[in-house]
Amino acid sequence: YNQAAHVHALGPYQNPSLGLNGDAFTGQYLGWYSNTSKLILPSDMAAGCYYITNTYNDFIGNAASGGWAGFAFPSLNTPVKLHYGKVNICPRNRPFRTPFRGNSAHSTGFWWGTGAGLYVGGELQQNPTNGWLNYTSGRSATHETCSDPLAGTPGKSCSGANLRWLQFEDNKVFLANRGKQHWGARSEIIRFEIHDVGLSMNVFGRVWIDQMLMQCRSLNHNVTWFNGCPAVTKDGVAPSRSACNQR
C-alpha cells in the first residue's frame, strides 16, 4: 500500500544525436543507454514510479502518479550488481507470487507512443567484463512466465508443466497513452478499469481478459495530448471525428 508520485524521467528517449538505435516516438524499439560518469543508473532515462525487476513478489494496493510508466517490469536475464553471478535465476521469467492486484496508475505513459500505465517491457543487462549496466525501455526480450526459477538460465528451458500466466486483477489506469502494454508470452487480466486513454491495451502472446471496463473519454477535460481527441462535453456529446483528427 504505497504511493509514488512526481517522478520525472531523465530522457530524451529517442535522441538520434546520441548515436542510439531506436525508431523514435511512434515505433516499438528505443535506444540503449549505458553507464557513464553522469549516468549511474541508465534505467533512470525512463524512470517509472515503480520499477520492478523481479516479479516474484506481492504487489497489492499501490498507487502511481506520473513517471515514464506507472509500473514498469523490465526484462532481466540475470540478476545485476550485488547479485550478479551469485543467484542463478532468470528474473524476467518469474510469475507474480500472488496476482498483481488493486493497483492504480494515472497521468503517465505518454512520453512514448507505446507507453502505458502498466508496462511489461524494456531490458536491463549487466556487462560481464566491466560490470556496466545497459538498458533499453523499448521492446526487447519477451517475458516467458514460468514457475521454475532456473528457466531461462543457460541450457535451461521451461517445461510445459511449469508454464504460468502473469496475473493482473482489479487494477485501474486513467489519463495515460495506453492502459497496459505487455511484451510477453502469457497474461491473465481480470477486472481491469481504464479511462481517458488512447488505447486500452496492447498485449502479446496468449491472453485471457475478463470483466474489463474501458471508457475512452470521460468528462475529464485534461486528457493527455497524444490521445488525439478531447473529452466529451458536459451534455455527454463526443466531439466529431473531424475534430479528433485535427488534434
Side-chain angles (χ1 to χ4, degrees):
Y1 298 97
N2 302 289
Q3 181 180 17
H6 205 64
V7 176
H8 295 277
L10 296 180
Y13 321 105
Q14 314 90 7
N15 188 344
S17 67
L18 298 178
L20 304 173
N21 55 340
D23 58 0
F25 184 87
T26 58
Q28 296 181 353
Y29 301 93
L30 300 177
W32 285 82
Y33 290 87
S34 301
N35 282 131
T36 68
S37 60
K38 297 182 179 180
L39 184 62
I40 298 175
L41 295 175
S43 56
D44 282 348
M45 296 300 288
C49 292
Y50 298 89
Y51 187 77
I52 300 165
T53 56
N54 186 351
T55 48
Y56 194 66
N57 286 283
D58 301 314
F59 305 96
I60 301 172
N62 301 288
S65 176
W68 187 84
F71 297 84
F73 304 90
S75 291
L76 278 74
N77 291 330
T78 64
V80 298
K81 291 301 182 180
L82 294 178
H83 301 284
Y84 184 77
K86 298 179 180 179
V87 182
N88 189 32
I89 65 171
C90 181
R92 69 180 172 88
N93 289 342
R94 302 295 284 140
F96 293 123
R97 198 172 72 161
T98 58
F100 183 85
R101 180 183 293 121
N103 301 288
S104 67
H106 72 87
S107 307
T108 184
F110 52 83
W111 299 104
W112 175 39
T114 312
L118 307 181
Y119 180 63
V120 184
E123 184 173 358
L124 181 65
Q125 304 174 346
Q126 180 166 330
N127 188 309
T129 303
N130 56 26
W132 286 8
L133 295 177
N134 303 303
Y135 178 72
T136 179
S137 51
R139 182 178 180 180
S140 190
T142 298
H143 288 244
E144 178 66 60
T145 314
C146 184
S147 62
D148 182 357
L150 298 180
T153 58
K156 184 71 173 179
S157 60
C158 186
S159 66
N162 291 326
L163 294 176
R164 293 294 183 270
W165 298 78
L166 202 59
Q167 297 175 306
F168 298 81
E169 296 182 0
D170 302 306
N171 299 294
K172 178 188 288 188
V173 173
F174 55 99
L175 290 174
N177 180 26
R178 296 181 179 181
K180 182 173 185 281
Q181 173 65 52
H182 187 159
W183 312 114
R186 287 170 301 280
S187 61
E188 184 179 273
I189 303 155
I190 309 296
R191 294 180 298 276
F192 191 25
E193 187 175 343
I194 314 161
H195 304 271
D196 294 320
V197 296
L199 187 69
S200 60
M201 291 186 290
N202 187 26
V203 287
F204 280 52
R206 301 176 62 187
V207 182
W208 174 264
I209 302 172
D210 185 27
Q211 302 176 67
M212 182 178 79
L213 171 63
M214 162 62 181
Q215 184 182 27
C216 179
R217 291 292 175 269
S218 70
L219 291 174
N220 191 329
H221 66 282
N222 292 319
V223 296
T224 55
W225 67 270
F226 186 68
N227 292 350
C229 188
V232 298
T233 59
K234 291 183 178 180
D235 58 2
V237 178
S240 67
R241 180 180 297 272
S242 60
C244 294
N245 292 337
Q246 291 170 6
R247 290 179 63 86

